[in-house]
Amino acid sequence: MLVIERLAPTGTGRRVHSALFISTAVAYALSFAVYLIFLNTGKVLSGRLGTLLLAAGLVTHYFALLGRSRGTHTVPYHDLYGAMSLFGWLLALTYLALELYHRQRSVGALVVPFILLFFVGAHLAPADKLSPPPAHGPLFAFHVTLNILAYSAFALAFVLSLTFLIEERFLRNHQLGDVVWRLPPLELLERMSRSSVLIGLVCITIGTAFGFLWVYRLSSEYSFYDPKYAITLLVLILYAVYFRLARTTAWRGARASKLCVFNFLIVFLSFTVVNLYLSANHRFF
Amino acid sequence: MEIVLVGLNHRTAPVEVRERVSFTVEQARRASEELRSKGILEETLVLSTCNRSEVYGVPPETSRECAPGLSNFLSEFHSVRLDILGNSLYHHYDREAVRHLFRVAAGLDSMMLGEAEILGQVREAYRVAHEQGATGPVLNRLFQGALEVGKRVRAETELGTRPMSAASAGVKLAERIFGKLSERSALVLGAGTISEQVIAQFRDRGIARLFVMNRSRDRADGLAKQYGGEVVGWGEWEKTLLIPDVIVSSVSAEEPVLQRRMVEQAMGKRGNRALFLMDLGLPRNVDAGVAKLYNVYVYNMDDLTEIVEQNRQARENEIPKADSIVDEHVGKFLSWQASVELVGLVNELRARMREERAQFIRARVGSIQHLTEADRARVEKLMDDMLETLLLEPAQRLRGEKDLRRKVQNVEALRDLFLSNRVKP
């Protein structure tokens, strides 16, 4: 099997099997193309094929993550590449679960580009020095994985809310092109968005609790000085507020969707600016 | 093994003629029985919908000869003079008959292009004829092909996906907002024809609750009873507007029936739950300001007519794609038909050659004195082998090569050429 070896400045190897990379990228790209066809034509077969290709991409993506972890002897989220790639994988997983639960494939064409972007972007990210993490163990792994899963669920809610706002605008302005007839009903988009946020809320709550527990075990005391704690708390509050308001008289519909879109900007800020520049302990996750 | 079709439809006959020539299921059964018992057709199938009455059949003789007999039969069966029917009837044979049926099943020949109901009607007509034993191998294959064409056209084109009436467009729009309507409720203001069309659409989609409000309670009662709805007293707005997800209004009123203030108050009380308003009245029944309210979607007759027009154009754009599916299946059917006919011809030729061989041996070999019985048997075997060798290759090629079957256009000519002095089967 062909192997691409990208060396970090320190000489730490980052081995990504090119066959896995190519097959994952191709599976996601084809899934996107087929979901687009489904959105335009509404053919059931295209929708099913899109789902199958996404599932295939998910499997090869998993092995790509696994292979990389074995190659670097660390967890996949230890650097920017791994964190982004894991984010993309969990986004795909969350979307697939929601698609199967709600039996709605029209959003696939809008979600898969993000999955592809994160997967390919992760591969193109600059190589980093991989120093061993201060501690290992299931608690830490759950903490990080659950938080990234929460972010991916929030990302999905963002896409769904954005779709809601676009479709709602089209319906209100009587601009009914071909695509509007193919998008999911507004109420379903709302429900899917709420389901996604619920997944995110549960994961971020448990994941953050695991994080505090891990810090406690590591240093025998809780640390509240990391800006990541504050922004995570803010994210948690904002999404809890969304979840509550989305069912109320004044907010249900477009207003709640706008709030959900705004909330994700904070998540994005947390995942990028805060991780990279402000947090000492949350470099990439 | 010819196919003949005689019929009329919305393009060739006015409704006054169509209604006189339409068949009930029982009449269709009786007509099939009579056509076969009188020897006009060997296989028959009657397809009768509100827009067409057609008789498909396989005649015992060449189809062109039996078409006048079929026209006379239709005239007598329905007691309609032939001079009234004559100009309305069309006759199609073989390829054209097959193509016509496949286009009918695809919805390409319907009054409303791409309508979905026709496929079910074709399926039902086939079921009735098949159960009666009126169809045989040819019509079975033909109608199974038609059902396949209908399904493929609906799956692979957008011919039947877009609503083609204001009522159905409105109901489809409601589904864009709420999804399935089986857990939703609707209020219909007015009890006229348009209201009834919308109510029928709602019922088709299994709407959970249906309310009818009309100035004349009797008419509302009638509609509610017919479609399983509930009647609401005219003017009970405050209470009534809180329940439905969809409101359809089609009443004649000089002033808007639904005022902004009224809907605004209701929206507050119903927790801003989304409300879709279909205003089918002229002048408009819904105040223009209502469309500005949060979570309220208003579509009037002009909006819906525009959607229908866009959809009509979109459906027409799908015709070439649907026609290519039809042509593909017509080719398949004709190829099958030719293969059956040609294989039959080869079998007849084989029988004929064996007969000739037997005569030849009796006349020529029998007179040779020194041949023993064993020699004679050997000569017969050798001749049989030679004849089989002569027929084997063409028979195998006819079974295997579709293109060859297409090239052999006229099986009757071949039959006449090789079996000219024999009675046609």
Side-chain angles (χ1 to χ4, degrees), chain B residues 180-191:
Chain B
K180 287 181 184 167
L181 298 178
S182 52
E183 292 170 7
R184 303 288 166 178
S185 58
L187 167 67
V188 178
L189 304 179

Side-chain angles (χ1 to χ4, degrees), chain B residues 62-83:
Chain B
T62 51
S63 55
R64 277 162 223 277
E65 287 166 23
C66 89
L70 268 175
S71 302
N72 285 331
F73 174 82
L74 281 176
S75 163
E76 284 169 20
F77 189 86
H78 288 291
S79 308
V80 182
R81 288 204 324 268
L82 199 58
D83 57 311

